[in-house]
Amino acid sequence: MNTRKYRLSDIITVLGLLVIIYGFAIAMLLLPDKEYSEEENRYLQTVPQFSLEALTSGEFTADVASYCTDQMPLRNLFVGTKAVSETVLGKQENNSVLLGIDGHIIAKEDHPNYAAADKNLAAVTAFDEALGDIPLHLAVAGRSQDVLTSYSPALYPAKKISDTTFVRALESAGDISQIDLLTPLREYADAGEYVYYRTDHHWTTLGAYYAYREIMETYGMEPYPREYFTRETMSEEFYGTTWSKAGMKWIRPDTMEFFRFAGDGTLTCEIVGGDTLEGMYDLSYLEKKDKYSAFIGGNNARVRIYPSDRSPLAGERETLLLIKDSFGHSVAPFLAAHFDLEIIDLRYYKPLVGNPSMLELVKEVGADHVLILYNLDSLLNSDNLVSLTLGME
Amino acid sequence: MVFSSLEFLLLYLTVTLLLYFIVPFKARNIVLLAVSLIFYGWGEPIYMFLMVFTIIVDYIFGLLVENNLKKQNKKSAKLCLILAVVINLAILGFFKYYDFFVTNLRLIPGLSGLPLLGLELPIGISFYTFQALSYVIDVYRLDTRAQHNIAAFGAYVTLYPQLIAGPIVRYKDVDDQLTEREHSIPLFAEGTRTFIAGMCKKVLFANTAGQLWEYFRDIPADERTVVGAWIGMICYSFQIYFDFSGYSDMAIGLGKMIGFRFLENFNYPYISKSITEFWRRWHISLGTWFREYVYIPLGGNRCSKLINIRNIFVVWFLTGFWHGASWNYILWGLYYFALLMIEKLFLLKLLERAPVVVSRIYTLFFVLFGWLLFVFEDLSAGMVYLGSMFGVGVVGFANGLDVYNLVRNLVFFAILVLASTPLPKKLYYRLTEKYAAARGIAAVGSIAATLVCIAYLVDSSYNPFLYFRF
C-alpha cells in the first residue's frame, strides 16, 4: 500500500460507494421482508428458496433479481426521487403520467393499438343482434386524458389525441346504440367541476352522477336531481392508481364522496360467491389505499343489487343488466335507485365455466335493459367483451 | 446479471470485494476466477462448463505453443496455434451462428428440414473468445510469455468486469498485472469515479434515451411524422453510445478497484470529423483486435492495392458479422467498408479542408444511418422507418406531439450533447487539479449520482398493477 497522504476527496468517494452498497445490502437482508405492496397492488418477492432445480432453470437467479428490487429499503423514496429528477429536468411526465395543472396527474397513451377495440365491438354487435327486442346500449366513458384535456401540461395536444383515439376506437361500433359520456363530462371538467379524480383514473362520484343522468335521459326516464342526494365526504386522503404510477409524492390526495339517498341502506348488494353487503358500500376499503373499491365491494365477477325486503327478480322494478369495468362501480348506486341490478364484470366472470353464457343470463334474470359501461382504456387494452358471444351459434 | 442492476451492486459487488480484499494477494486470482465464473454462470449455470473448457483448452495450447517454440519446433507450434484458433472459433460459431447458417441453408431446396437449435447465447462469448485467441496468438508471436499459473490465466479469460461487453483486453496488455498489481486508495477512488460515471451514462442517459427511441419506433408507420422519426433515430444514437461506452467505463472502473488498468474503449466518437476518425474513437479495443489479428496478418496495406482493398473488406465484413448473427449486421459492416473506401479514395482530403461543422455533420449523418441498419434486424421494418424519415407514408412533417416531446426533453438532450463531448471531463480535471473544494464537491456529487442511479433502477422495476387479480 501507498504510504503517502491520501486525499480526503478520494476517501469520501470510496467510502461513499462502500457505505451505500454495503449499507443497503445489510439493511435489505436484516429488515423483515414485505409481502405485499399496497402502492403497487401486487405481492412482492420474498427471500427466494434455493434448489438445484430452481438454479438450473434460471428461476432462482431471476427471483434474486426481483428480490433486490422488491425488498430494496426506502423503495418508495427512491421512486419519488426519480419523479423529482424527471420533473426538475422539465420532462412534464414520469412513467407515462402527465404532470398536469392544478394538482392533476393524468395517465396517457399517445398511440393506442385498436385491434382489441375492433374485436370487442364486433362481439357487442353480434350480442346485440342475438338479444332481439331487449335494448342494448354501449356507454364508453373517457379516460382521464380524454376528459381532463384542459388540465394537461402546456403544449401537450390532449384534445387532438383524445378525439382521434375516440373516433378510431369506435369506428367499428356500427349500429350499436351509444350513450356519449365523453362530451358532457369534458364540458363539466372544462367548467371546473370535480368530475374525475386528480390522482386516480376513475371518475368522481359527481362524475358518476352526471353519467347516470345521461343514461337515464337516453332511457327516456327522469333522473333524480342533485338535491335528491345527500353528499357525504368519506375520505380526504384518497391517493389513486395514477398517484402510485407517477411517483410524484408531492401531489395532494383526492376527496371521495358518497351520494346517499333515502332508503339506499335497505338495498342488498349480493356478491355472488362472496359476502353480502347491507347497503351498497364496503366501508372497510376506506381504511385501505384502494378506497374506490368501497363502491359495491370493488372488483367482483357478479353482483346483484335489490331491495332487501324481498328476493331478486320479484318483478316490482325493471331489471338492468350492467356489464361494466370499474367505472360502473360508482354509477351502480344511482341506477339502483330505479332498477334491480345484475352486474357482470367480464374480467372475472367466465361464461360456460360453471356459469351461464351471457345470453342465458339475460334470459335467466329477465333483463329489461342491457347496458355495457366501459371506459375507453378497457375497450382498447383488453378484449374481454369477446366472451359476450361465448356459447352463441 | 448486468452491472446496472441492484443485484450486482448490493449482492455481487459487495461479496466479491469483501472476498477479494480479505484474502492474501497470492490467493486473489483464485478468488477472481471463482467469482467471475459465478458471474458468468449466473444467467445460465450450465455454460460454466463451457467456460472451464475454454480456459483449459487455451491454457494447454498456450503452453504447447511456447514449448514447441522453445524447441525450435516451428511447425508444431503453428499446428497448435491453428488448432486453438479452430476450436475457439468453432465454439463461437456453434453457439452464436449455428441458427443463422441453418436458417439460410434451409432456403436451399432439399435442406429445408435442417433443425434449428434455439440456443441461448453464452454471455460475453464474442468478447472472451477474442481475448483467448489474442493470448494464443501473442504467445506464438513471442509478444508475450505463456501463463503457467492456471488460476491467473483463468482469471484473465473470465475477468468479470469486461466479460459481458468488453473492452476486449489483449493478454499482453495485462500480463504483468496478472501476477503483480497495485491496490491503493487513490486507484480504488479513481475506479469508483469511472464506475459511477459509467453507471450514470448507462442508467441515466442510455436507458432514458432508449425509452424515447422505443416510443418513436413503436408509433405505427401511418401515424409517424418526419420530425418524430428523426428524433427517434437520434435518441437511438445516443442510447447505443452511452450504453456501450457507459458499460466500458463501468468495466474499466471495476478493473481499477481491483488493480487492473484496461485501455480506454471509447474516445468521444461523436465529435469525429470523418468516418475514418469515428472508427478510431468507437469501440477501440475491437478495432485494435481486428487490425492486429486479421488485417495485418492478411498483409495490411503493404501489398498491392487490390489485396489491400480485399483486406479492408474482410475486416469490415467480420466486424459487422461479429456484432450479431443476422444479415443487417453484415450489411452494417459493409456500409462502413463502402464509406471508408470512399473516404480513402478522395473524400478524406476534401473533409480536411472543409469547415469543422460540415465534416462533423457529415459524419453524424452517416453514423446515424449506420445505426438504422444496426437496430433493425428485420430489414423491411428498417426500410419502412427509413421511409418515415423522408416522409414516405407519414401523417405529416411534424405535429403537436413532436413539439411537446422536443420541448420537454430539451434539457435532457442538451445534457446528452454535452456529455458526448470531452468538455465535461476537461472541466472536471481543470477544476479538481486546482481546487480542493472542487474535489470535495465532486466526491459528494459521486455519492448523490449513485443514489440517483439507484432511484432510476428501482423505478424501472416499479410496476403498479391496476388489476392484479387478472
Side-chain angles (χ1 to χ4, degrees):
Chain A
M1 279 275 170
N2 229 317
T3 47
R4 76 183 160 91
K5 228 177 119 199
Y6 298 123
R7 274 183 167 167
L8 182 64
S9 58
D10 281 355
I11 292 170
I12 295 173
T13 307
V14 171
L15 280 182
L17 180 74
L18 295 183
V19 167
I20 289 171
I21 63 175
Y22 283 98
F24 277 105
I26 291 166
M28 180 175 75
L29 296 174
L30 290 187
L31 289 172
D33 285 354
K34 239 177 105 183
E35 290 192 7
Y36 180 77
S37 163
E38 270 209 331
E39 291 247 306
E40 295 174 64
N41 203 6
R42 69 178 177 96
Y43 290 96
L44 301 175
Q45 174 72 47
T46 51
V47 176
Q49 292 296 313
F50 181 83
S51 73
L52 208 60
E53 210 178 302
L55 180 71
T56 48
S57 71
E59 195 187 312
F60 178 73
T61 51
D63 285 352
V64 169
S66 319
Y67 175 78
C68 290
T69 50
D70 282 4
Q71 300 297 339
M72 178 76 185
L74 307 179
R75 185 172 160 76
N76 284 329
L77 182 68
F78 279 119
V79 170
T81 304
K82 190 241 176 185
V84 170
S85 156
E86 293 284 288
T87 306
V88 167
L89 286 176
K91 299 259 185 102
Q92 304 194 52
E93 57 181 71
N94 186 38
N95 299 344
S96 295
V97 175
L98 298 164
L99 175 57
I101 56 173
D102 291 346
H104 287 78
I105 46 178
I106 302 162
K108 65 137 195 177
E109 189 175 22
D110 291 340
H111 303 281
N113 185 310
Y114 298 98
D118 289 343
K119 269 169 91 177
N120 281 328
L121 292 174
V124 174
T125 305
F127 186 63
D128 192 12
E129 277 166 18
L131 282 176
D133 290 342
I134 304 166
L136 175 143
H137 287 87
L138 172 68
V140 178
R143 305 157 296 175
S144 302
Q145 78 173 94
D146 305 309
V147 173
L148 301 177
T149 45
S150 44
Y151 299 88
S152 57
L155 289 179
Y156 183 74
K159 198 163 175 301
K160 190 164 174 248
I161 293 172
S162 169
D163 291 347
T164 314
T165 308
F166 246 93
V167 168
R168 173 61 191 85
L170 293 171
E171 210 170 75
S172 38
D175 294 333
I176 304 166
S177 308
Q178 291 188 53
I179 304 174
D180 179 8
L181 297 181
L182 172 67
T183 319
L185 274 109
R186 190 192 273 169
E187 277 165 14
Y188 289 121
D190 287 347
E193 289 207 59
Y194 186 33
V195 288
Y196 272 59
Y197 292 113
R198 290 180 296 98
T199 72
D200 195 65
H201 62 291
H202 293 111
W203 44 33
T204 62
T205 315
L206 178 62
Y209 168 75
Y210 286 130
Y212 146 78
R213 231 164 54 176
E214 296 296 323
I215 294 163
M216 295 302 286
E217 276 160 15
T218 307
Y219 285 169
M221 295 163 81
E222 186 73 28
Y224 289 116
R226 260 164 83 161
E227 306 75 55
Y228 178 76
F229 301 92
T230 317
R231 291 170 71 163
E232 284 179 19
T233 299
M234 302 311 292
S235 174
E236 290 181 325
E237 293 288 307
F238 175 42
Y239 292 96
T241 52
T242 316
W243 191 86
S244 299
K245 197 177 171 203
M248 300 168 183
K249 309 289 182 193
W250 63 89
I251 299 291
R252 63 182 199 281
D254 272 301
T255 301
M256 181 181 275
E257 292 178 304
F258 289 169
F259 279 39
R260 308 298 301 265
F261 55 90
D264 69 346
T266 68
L267 290 170
T268 291
C269 182
E270 178 193 338
I271 296 165
V272 177
D275 299 337
T276 294
L277 303 172
E278 282 308 313
M280 293 176 286
Y281 304 98
D282 185 343
L283 299 178
S284 68
Y285 280 106
L286 294 176
E287 309 303 315
K288 299 179 190 162
K289 180 173 178 299
D290 181 18
K291 295 184 171 42
Y292 187 79
S293 283
F295 294 101
I296 69 168
N299 292 318
N300 290 293
R302 181 176 177 190
V303 175
R304 324 181 73 184
I305 301 177
Y306 48 85
S308 51
D309 56 355
R310 63 168 168 82
S311 59
L313 313 181
E316 294 162 31
R317 306 200 297 176
E318 285 192 314
T319 299
L320 186 146
L321 175 63
L322 176 63
I323 300 164
K324 54 85 211 169
D325 61 15
S326 57
F327 273 62
H329 298 178
S330 49
V331 180
F334 294 109
L335 296 172
H338 305 267
F339 303 98
D340 279 13
L341 293 177
E342 290 287 338
I343 305 172
I344 294 293
D345 193 325
L346 290 174
R347 292 170 297 169
Y348 310 111
Y349 181 87
K350 300 293 168 217
L352 306 182
V353 188
N355 294 312
S357 77
M358 288 305 292
L359 206 54
E360 283 162 2
L361 192 79
V362 171
K363 287 180 189 139
E364 193 184 295
V365 303
D368 301 291
H369 303 271
V370 176
L371 174 64
I372 300 177
L373 175 54
Y374 268 51
N375 92 92
L376 185 60
D377 187 60
S378 305
L379 192 74
L380 288 169
N381 291 317
S382 160
D383 59 2
N384 59 55
L385 280 170
V386 169
S387 51
L388 283 176
T389 57
L390 284 179
M392 270 167 47
E393 302 290 295
Chain B
M1 183 164 34
V2 294
F3 300 151
S4 52
S5 69
L6 292 175
E7 79 257 34
F8 177 81
L9 292 172
L10 301 193
L11 298 183
Y12 186 84
L13 189 58
T14 48
V15 172
T16 305
L17 287 177
L18 193 69
L19 288 177
Y20 184 82
F21 282 105
I22 56 169
V23 301
F25 186 84
K26 281 194 171 164
R28 285 185 183 169
N29 280 341
I30 295 172
V31 168
L32 208 48
L33 173 60
V35 296
S36 295
L37 277 175
I38 291 171
F39 185 84
Y40 181 73
W42 188 252
E44 200 64 59
I46 199 82
Y47 283 155
M48 264 202 249
F49 296 104
L50 181 69
M51 176 56 97
V52 171
F53 176 77
T54 301
I55 293 171
I56 294 174
V57 165
D58 290 304
Y59 174 74
I60 292 172
F61 275 109
L63 292 181
L64 286 175
V65 169
E66 186 178 57
N67 259 334
N68 279 310
L69 286 176
K70 267 187 194 152
K71 290 183 202 149
Q72 300 294 326
N73 216 340
K74 276 222 154 173
K75 261 193 181 160
S76 306
K78 193 164 195 173
L79 188 70
C80 289
L81 171 69
I82 290 169
L83 265 174
V85 171
V86 168
I87 292 173
N88 278 301
L89 289 182
I91 294 174
L92 180 64
F94 180 73
F95 283 98
K96 187 170 175 179
Y97 298 104
Y98 176 88
D99 276 3
F100 173 75
F101 285 125
V102 168
T103 311
N104 286 295
L105 284 175
R106 278 170 148 194
L107 301 174
I108 302 169
L111 292 177
S112 57
L114 284 173
L116 290 172
L117 293 179
L119 288 171
E120 193 80 36
L121 189 68
I123 58 161
I125 191 168
S126 314
F127 289 92
Y128 75 74
T129 304
F130 272 33
Q131 295 202 164
L133 284 173
S134 84
Y135 165 73
V136 191
I137 298 171
D138 284 351
V139 171
Y140 176 78
R141 289 177 177 172
L142 295 172
D143 281 344
T144 184
R145 291 158 303 159
Q147 177 57 262
H148 291 248
N149 181 337
I150 192 160
F153 180 69
Y156 160 70
V157 177
T158 53
L159 210 57
Y160 76 85
Q162 25 81 340
L163 182 68
I164 294 188
I168 299 166
V169 177
R170 284 172 307 171
Y171 182 77
K172 61 185 172 199
D173 291 334
V174 288
D175 182 16
D176 302 338
Q177 299 172 35
L178 281 170
T179 39
E180 204 173 328
R181 54 186 178 267
E182 174 202 354
H183 296 102
S184 73
I185 290 177
L187 188 62
F188 197 102
E190 206 183 307
T192 304
R193 280 190 286 268
T194 312
F195 177 76
I196 293 172
M199 186 162 62
C200 289
K201 280 174 159 182
K202 163 75 184 139
V203 177
L204 305 182
F205 299 169
N207 290 0
T208 318
Q211 281 170 10
L212 276 173
W213 154 241
E214 283 168 17
Y215 170 88
F216 285 105
R217 179 198 62 194
D218 292 344
I219 297 175
D222 58 351
E223 293 176 38
R224 283 190 196 131
T225 61
V226 173
V227 169
W230 277 87
I231 301 175
M233 218 44 235
I234 291 169
C235 287
Y236 180 72
S237 306
F238 280 128
Q239 181 193 2
I240 192 161
Y241 167 62
F242 286 113
D243 197 274
F244 207 168
S245 78
Y247 220 83
S248 282
D249 288 347
M250 283 192 275
I252 292 167
L254 289 167
K256 277 182 191 157
M257 290 182 199
I258 52 174
F260 284 96
R261 289 170 188 274
F262 304 137
L263 299 173
E264 287 291 338
N265 207 17
F266 289 84
N267 185 21
Y268 306 101
Y270 287 165
I271 63 165
S272 302
K273 295 190 282 291
S274 67
I275 297 296
T276 312
E277 185 186 352
F278 175 79
W279 276 103
R280 280 200 296 266
R281 292 172 174 273
W282 179 276
H283 203 177
I284 299 165
S285 63
L286 183 72
T288 309
W289 197 96
F290 273 112
R291 196 181 64 238
E292 290 210 4
Y293 302 110
V294 178
Y295 183 67
I296 292 175
L298 283 174
N301 58 3
R302 294 182 181 174
C303 51
S304 72
K305 240 192 181 139
L306 213 62
I307 299 285
N308 183 222
I309 290 173
R310 181 208 64 181
N311 295 345
I312 297 172
F313 178 87
V314 169
V315 164
W316 286 99
F317 177 86
L318 291 177
T319 299
F321 202 33
W322 180 87
H323 280 84
S326 174
W327 283 107
N328 68 304
Y329 298 111
I330 296 175
L331 209 63
W332 176 75
L334 297 180
Y335 168 82
Y336 276 110
F337 164 73
L339 285 172
L340 291 167
M341 290 313 296
I342 293 168
E343 287 196 352
K344 212 173 158 74
L345 280 175
F346 68 96
L347 198 58
L348 212 49
K349 285 190 192 113
L350 290 179
L351 286 170
E352 274 162 15
R353 267 177 278 153
V356 179
V357 187
V358 173
S359 52
R360 286 212 169 120
I361 288 175
Y362 149 83
T363 308
L364 288 175
F365 185 83
F366 282 99
V367 167
L368 188 86
F369 285 104
W371 294 137
L372 183 77
L373 285 174
F374 190 87
V375 70
F376 284 101
E377 285 200 3
D378 174 0
L379 282 170
S380 60
M383 287 308 113
V384 172
Y385 196 91
L386 181 67
S388 304
M389 291 174 76
F390 290 97
V392 180
V394 295
V395 67
F397 179 75
N399 61 20
L401 210 47
D402 293 330
V403 176
Y404 166 75
N405 280 316
L406 205 58
V407 169
R408 76 188 190 86
N409 283 299
L410 265 187
V411 177
F412 178 59
F413 288 149
I415 293 172
L416 294 185
V417 170
L418 209 62
S420 305
T421 73
L423 292 176
K425 199 174 193 173
K426 271 187 193 158
L427 193 69
Y428 168 81
Y429 280 122
R430 184 168 298 171
L431 291 176
T432 53
E433 273 159 23
K434 245 188 191 165
Y435 308 105
R439 287 195 291 275
I441 291 168
V444 175
S446 73
I447 295 172
T450 308
L451 291 172
V452 173
C453 284
I454 291 177
Y456 276 70
L457 288 177
V458 170
D459 184 80
S460 68
S461 73
Y462 175 79
N463 242 331
F465 281 83
L466 299 189
Y467 310 109
F468 78 108
R469 285 200 295 166
F470 249 128

